[in-house]
């Protein structure tokens, strides 16, 4: 945001020097926090991927638009189809942001696009869509130009998705804020939005509380 709009809003008020200082500080924070971002992507994938594998229930959820169509919310396990969409958006776009970001930080060591174009050329897909092979040899500056455009594009897409998710998970859905703030929801909310998950929890509770027969 600073790179795109700093010259229009910061420079006229505070000057070029202040804008340069803010940009240098922003780059330092961005490049260092990015490692935590990539680590978090790996962590959420390992922890939640098994809950986010698509199944037939997701088709029902989408058919009913998550409960907008019909008299009640469609059944769901721990993650409904909408949440799975958020999860895979984070994994896919977050992964692309990470790869293009690494290419920007290490343009000489990680030539992402030269490698990707070479793979596309080998499969024949490049000539199928463009009529000619893609350049398999790129200068570091060309790599950085491509990475910059895609890095920003993927970032804006993911930001738009996350902003929508924040709205739905806070004021857009009654009772959802509890899951966001302290990780718990009441039984009525769980029954309405994640009925199969609630049934599984109740079955586990009954099993653990049952005494063995003598």
């Amino acid at each position: 945001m600073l790179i795109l709009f700093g010259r229009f809003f910061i420079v006229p008020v505070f000057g070029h020097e202040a804008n340069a200082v803010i940009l240098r500080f922003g780059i330092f924070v961005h490049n260092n926090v990015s490692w935590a971002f990539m680590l978090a992507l790996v962590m959420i994938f390992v922890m939640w991927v098994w809950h986010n594998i698509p199944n037939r229930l997701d088709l029902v959820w989408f058919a009913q638009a998550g409960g907008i169509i019909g008299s009640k919310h469609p059944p769901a396990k721990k993650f409904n189809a909408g949440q799975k969409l958020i999860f895979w958006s984070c994994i896919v776009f977050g992964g692309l942001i990470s790869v293009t970001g690494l290419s920007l930080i290490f343009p000489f060591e990680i030539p992402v696009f030269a490698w990707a174009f070479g793979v596309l050329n080998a499969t024949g897909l490049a000539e199928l869509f463009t009529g000619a092979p893609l350049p398999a040899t790129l200068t570091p500056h060309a790599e950085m130009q491509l990475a910059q455009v895609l890095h920003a594009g993927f970032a804006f897409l993911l930001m738009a998705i996350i902003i929508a998710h924040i709205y739905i998970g806070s004021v857009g859905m009654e009772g959802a804020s509890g899951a966001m703030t302290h990780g718990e929801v009441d039984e009525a909310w769980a029954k309405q939005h994640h009925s199969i998950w609630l049934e599984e929890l109740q079955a586990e509770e009954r099993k653990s509380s049952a005494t063995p027969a003598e």
Side-chain angles (χ1 to χ4, degrees), residues 9 20 69 71 97 133 136-137 141 145 162 182 198-199 208 214:
F9 298 100
I69 301 173
S71 58
I97 289 168
T137 302
H141 290 87
Q145 286 176 331
I162 294 301
H182 53 73
L198 177 62
E199 291 170 4
S208 62
E214 295 182 1

Side-chain angles (χ1 to χ4, degrees), residues 5-153:
F5 302 114
R7 70 181 65 181
F8 302 109
F9 298 100
I10 298 176
V11 171
V13 179
F14 300 104
H16 289 279
E17 184 62 29
N19 186 49
V21 171
I22 293 171
L23 283 173
R24 283 196 295 269
F25 177 74
I27 291 171
F28 174 80
V29 173
H30 178 90
N31 290 354
N32 285 280
V33 172
S34 63
W35 303 109
F37 175 82
M38 288 184 278
L39 176 62
L41 279 179
V42 175
M43 291 175 64
I44 66 170
F45 182 83
V46 172
M47 291 188 296
W48 296 329
V49 65
W50 303 113
H51 296 292
N52 285 278
I53 297 173
N55 56 46
R56 292 182 180 180
L57 291 172
D58 300 331
L59 298 176
V60 177
W61 194 93
F62 282 121
Q64 295 182 226
I68 296 175
I69 301 173
S71 58
K72 61 179 182 179
H73 284 272
K77 293 188 177 183
K78 187 171 184 176
F79 288 75
N80 61 39
Q83 292 167 325
K84 290 179 182 180
L85 192 61
I86 295 293
F87 173 83
W88 288 112
S89 295
C90 289
I91 295 299
V92 173
F93 289 120
L96 292 170
I97 289 168
S98 299
V99 170
T100 52
L102 288 171
S103 181
L104 284 169
I105 296 174
F106 306 108
F108 294 93
E109 293 82 2
I110 307 177
V112 172
F113 296 96
W115 173 83
F117 291 167
V119 171
L120 289 173
N121 290 338
T123 60
L125 292 174
E127 291 190 56
L128 180 64
F129 289 101
T130 64
L134 294 169
T137 302
L138 295 169
T139 65
H141 290 87
E143 287 273 350
M144 292 182 73
Q145 286 176 331
L146 290 169
Q148 180 65 53
V149 172
L150 293 177
H151 188 73

Side-chain angles (χ1 to χ4, degrees), residues 57 72-78 187 189-207:
L57 291 172
K72 61 179 182 179
H73 284 272
K77 293 188 177 183
K78 187 171 184 176
E187 186 173 330
W189 193 92
K191 185 175 182 179
Q192 183 181 21
H193 296 276
H194 301 271
S195 57
I196 297 176
W197 173 61
L198 177 62
E199 291 170 4
E200 291 173 347
L201 291 178
Q202 291 172 334
E204 290 177 5
E205 186 177 348
R206 288 192 298 268
K207 185 178 179 180

